[in-house]
Amino acid sequence: AKNIVSLSITGILAGLALLPLQRVDARSLSAIEKDHKIIIATEGQFSPFNYFQAGKLTGFEIDIANAVAQKMGLTVEWKSVGFDALIAGLQQDRWDLVIASHGITESRAKVVTFTTPHYCTGGVIVSKDPAIRSVANLAGKNVVVQVGTSYLENLKKVPNIKDIKTFPKDTDAQAAVTMGRADAWVSDKFLAKAAIAANPSSGLKIGDFVFVEKVGALVSKGNIPLADAYNKAFNQILADGTYAAISNKYFKEDIRCK
Ligand code: ARG
């Protein structure tokens, strides 16, 4: 009798666990291969990594993912959505992979599986004020940052910042500091370098790193066959010169993790 009771309790619990989320399983590697097409999502507002030029999605990460997919024998169907919606959409099986400069963090690794990092970088302080360069200089200052980013996560640990204002898009945080509505902006090192080079009269200067990070693509949590196939193709483009050519095109340097 005891066994029957515990069995039925187990059964009820298992049933309950399935009910609320209605989780759809991620597409398997074999389903993707059968389709000859992988669905990849990005943001499209984080130049030069992912952005729109004359209405066309482009950038370092677009080229990298297209090259990886080609090695996998797949074409890419691209989607672009707000940065905040990328991980949720992956969990809902709306796309197979995300590439949008996500730093490999502990909190994200709980809900997604990261690929091999496609570049190594860090969050830097950007300001017009030459006195704002170090993390300590942020004390008493108004800092702007994109929401949902590792920049925000790390800024929250910095003591004595006066105010952290978040924006849905990194470009709006950049605009706020350019227009003098904030003292400092924290964003990606390579992005900030490119933004300043494109607009030298902005008066923005790059200060110290707040933290460093490895950036990878994401697949649905536990979709190891897809991550493995991506990583294998990614290693091929690292080895055959494709990666270096794409990196040089956007950054005039090789930004792979060393
Ligand atoms: N590297 C940062 C992070 O991990 C920023 C990523 C922002 N990406 C974007 N497409 N806006 O959160």
Side-chain angles (χ1 to χ4, degrees), residues 1-15:
K2 202 180 161 203
N3 272 343
I4 291 170
V5 170
S6 72
L7 259 183
S8 57
I9 287 175
T10 311
I12 288 165
L13 286 179

Side-chain angles (χ1 to χ4, degrees), residues 28-124:
S28 65
L29 176 63
S30 56
I32 293 167
E33 283 171 344
K34 215 177 261 170
D35 201 15
H36 305 291
K37 187 186 83 183
I38 183 166
I39 305 170
I40 306 184
T42 190
E43 184 200 28
Q45 311 284 344
F46 203 62
S47 172
F49 294 102
N50 59 78
Y51 61 105
F52 283 89
Q53 193 164 51
K56 200 180 173 297
L57 192 58
T58 186
F60 172 73
E61 290 179 305
I62 312 308
D63 287 5
I64 291 291
N66 281 335
V68 168
Q70 197 184 357
K71 295 274 187 217
M72 295 168 78
L74 303 170
T75 61
V76 180
E77 179 182 331
W78 283 99
K79 307 262 187 205
S80 68
V81 298
F83 183 68
D84 241 9
L86 288 165
I87 289 181
L90 189 63
Q91 292 175 310
Q92 293 158 3
D93 195 33
R94 291 174 59 203
W95 31 82
D96 304 309
L97 187 133
V98 169
I99 189 160
S101 288
H102 286 86
I104 301 178
T105 66
E106 233 174 85
S107 52
R108 287 172 180 157
K110 285 185 185 140
V111 295
V112 299
T113 294
F114 277 96
T115 65
T116 301
H118 53 281
Y119 69 98
C120 274
T121 185
V124 289

Side-chain angles (χ1 to χ4, degrees), residues 49 60-61 64-65 68 97-105 113-122 190 212-219 227-228 230-239 243 247 254-258:
F49 294 102
F60 172 73
E61 290 179 305
I64 291 291
V68 168
L97 187 133
V98 169
I99 189 160
S101 288
H102 286 86
I104 301 178
T105 66
T113 294
F114 277 96
T115 65
T116 301
H118 53 281
Y119 69 98
C120 274
T121 185
F190 296 110
V212 294
E213 65 181 357
K214 295 180 177 174
V215 167
L218 331 170
V219 298
D228 284 351
Y230 173 101
N231 291 341
K232 190 177 156 215
F234 179 69
N235 283 332
Q236 286 170 4
I237 71 159
L238 281 181
Y243 180 99
S247 185
D254 193 319
I255 67 168
R256 77 182 67 193
C257 296
K258 276 145 198 142

Side-chain angles (χ1 to χ4, degrees), residues 99-188:
I99 189 160
S101 288
H102 286 86
I104 301 178
T105 66
E106 233 174 85
S107 52
R108 287 172 180 157
K110 285 185 185 140
V111 295
V112 299
T113 294
F114 277 96
T115 65
T116 301
H118 53 281
Y119 69 98
C120 274
T121 185
V124 289
I125 297 165
V126 188
S127 179
K128 290 206 232 186
D129 183 344
I132 305 178
R133 294 195 62 86
S134 71
V135 173
N137 297 154
L138 296 178
K141 303 299 180 202
N142 293 308
V143 186
V144 289
V145 70
Q146 183 179 25
V147 78
T149 57
S150 51
Y151 316 131
L152 178 59
E153 203 176 297
N154 283 277
L155 269 177
K156 282 181 179 163
K157 298 180 206 156
V158 175
N160 305 322
I161 293 179
K162 184 174 173 204
D163 183 49
I164 304 173
K165 192 166 166 21
T166 61
F167 293 84
K169 293 192 287 176
D170 188 63
T171 45
D172 291 328
Q174 183 190 336
V177 76
T178 305
M179 293 184 295
R181 297 205 184 113
D183 301 310
W185 165 47
V186 174
S187 188
D188 180 80

